[in-house]
Amino acid sequence: IAPMKDPERAKEMGMELPRGLILFGPGGTGKTVFAKALAKEVGLPLCTLSPENFMSSFVGESERQLRNIIKLAEEMAPIIIFIDEIDRLGGRGEGGESDGGTSRRLFTQFLEWLGDENRRSFIIGATNAPYMDAAFRREGRFDNIVPMLSPDVNAREAILKVHLDVVRKVKHSITEFDIKEFAKLTDGWKGNMLEELVKRAVRAAFVSGAEFVERTHLQTAYDDYQVNQAALKQDEEKYIQIAKELCNSKKFLNKLLKEQGRMD
C-alpha cells in the first residue's frame, strides 16, 4: 500500500512498484471485498474481469479479446485489475488440443503481459484452486501469494457488526456481548455465511412483527441455519496445508497460523 500511495518516493529510493497478488482460499472468505478495499485505500480505479467474459468457442476470438483487454488496461493504468477464477488462465493447456490450442495460447499471451517490465496494471488474481503452472506464480509476475482463510473470532465479530450497523443499518437491540457470543458459536464460518445469518435474523424479526431485531431473532436464525461444521473444518485444513506450501512470506504465514491457532 505504501509505495502505491507514494510512487514518487518509492522511485527515488529505487523501489519497484508492486506488481500484483494472488489470493487463494475457499469461496466466501472476502477475496473480492479485499480487492475493492485495496483499490479504495490506494485511490486507484478497479476493473473486475472474469475469463468467461472473453473466452470464446470461436478460434482466435479469445486471444483477440484478451489482447484488447490488455491494451485497454494499460491505457487506463495505473489501475487495479481484479481477475476472478484466474486459475483458468494459469495453465498451459497441456491436456491436449481439444480446444484447438486456445488454452495454451491464452496462457502464453497472459504470461507475457504479467512478465512485461513496462506493465503498469496491478493485478489481483482470485482462485479456489491455486495449483497453477509454476511459471505463472514466479516472482516478478506477482509479488505475493496470499491465503484467504476463514475469519477468526475477532474478524467474525467485526463482520457481524458491519452487517448489522453499516451495510444494512439494522434497527436492533443486540448487545456487544451478544455479538461476541455468536462470533464464538460460528467457528469456521465464512464471511458470506455471517452475512446470511444477519439477513435471516432480520427476516425473522420482520415476520414476527417486531420493531427491532433482538437477540432471540439472531438465535432463531442460528438454530435454523444448517451448517456442515465438519466439512468446513476439513476444507480449512486443506487450505492451511496449501498455504504452508505456497505462501512466500514467512512472517505473514506465521502471523496467519498464529491467529488461526495452527502453529506447529
Side-chain angles (χ1 to χ4, degrees):
I1 289 174
M4 292 175 76
K5 277 189 168 182
D6 194 353
E8 291 302 320
R9 179 170 172 266
K11 185 177 180 180
E12 288 174 3
M13 296 188 68
M15 180 180 181
E16 295 181 358
L17 292 179
R19 306 273 285 169
L21 302 169
I22 292 179
L23 307 177
F24 73 88
T29 50
K31 295 183 283 291
T32 304
V33 173
F34 175 89
K36 292 178 179 178
L38 179 63
K40 185 173 182 180
E41 181 71 22
V42 299
L44 290 178
L46 174 70
C47 177
T48 301
L49 178 65
S50 177
E52 66 182 22
N53 297 145
F54 60 86
M55 294 186 78
S56 170
S57 58
F58 297 103
V59 176
E61 181 64 16
S62 298
E63 298 92 313
R64 186 187 67 80
Q65 291 200 55
L66 182 55
R67 280 196 300 272
N68 290 339
I69 288 169
I70 292 172
K71 182 175 182 292
L72 181 61
E74 290 304 313
E75 287 175 352
M76 295 171 63
I79 188 175
I80 293 178
I81 308 288
F82 177 69
I83 305 177
D84 199 13
E85 296 182 331
I86 197 170
D87 51 285
R88 294 183 63 183
L89 293 169
R92 298 177 188 269
E94 294 171 346
E97 294 291 319
S98 59
D99 63 354
T102 296
S103 296
R104 176 177 49 79
R105 291 192 296 272
L106 282 175
F107 173 81
T108 302
Q109 191 176 341
F110 192 61
L111 206 63
E112 288 175 356
W113 183 36
L114 290 177
D116 186 349
E117 61 181 18
N118 296 315
R119 170 167 63 90
R120 296 170 63 225
S121 300
F122 183 87
I123 299 174
I124 300 177
T127 178
N128 297 341
Y131 285 114
M132 296 171 282
D133 193 286
F136 192 78
R137 296 184 273 109
R138 189 178 300 157
E139 285 80 359
R141 291 175 174 142
F142 292 97
D143 299 277
N144 294 99
I145 302 172
V146 183
M148 296 283 286
L149 304 180
S150 299
D152 62 15
V153 65
N154 294 326
R156 293 195 298 275
E157 182 182 339
I159 291 169
L160 287 171
K161 286 180 181 178
V162 163
H163 285 291
L164 281 168
D165 299 326
V166 180
V167 175
R168 289 177 176 77
K169 295 181 172 58
V170 175
K171 292 173 64 177
H172 69 88
S173 60
I174 299 171
T175 66
E176 291 277 336
F177 178 82
D178 294 333
I179 293 175
K180 288 180 182 293
E181 181 181 353
F182 281 96
K184 292 176 182 177
L185 289 172
T186 51
D187 184 31
W189 287 34
K190 312 294 192 298
N192 60 341
M193 299 171 72
L194 296 166
E195 178 184 9
E196 178 64 19
L197 179 66
V198 171
K199 289 163 67 175
R200 291 186 179 209
V202 174
R203 191 179 306 127
F206 182 82
V207 170
S208 70
E211 294 186 13
F212 297 91
V213 177
E214 301 174 2
R215 187 197 183 284
T216 54
H217 300 123
L218 200 57
Q219 185 68 53
T220 297
Y222 175 79
D223 292 340
D224 182 59
Y225 199 169
Q226 184 169 316
V227 174
N228 190 333
Q229 208 81 15
L232 288 176
K233 287 292 183 184
Q234 186 177 12
D235 202 34
E236 191 79 352
E237 287 295 335
K238 178 184 74 174
Y239 280 104
I240 284 174
Q241 292 306 313
I242 297 173
K244 289 179 178 179
E245 181 181 344
L246 296 183
C247 184
N248 56 5
S249 169
K250 291 180 180 178
K251 182 179 179 181
F252 179 87
L253 180 61
N254 290 337
K255 184 176 184 293
L256 182 72
L257 294 177
K258 185 177 180 181
E259 289 173 351
Q260 296 282 330
R262 304 300 179 93
M263 292 295 289
D264 296 330

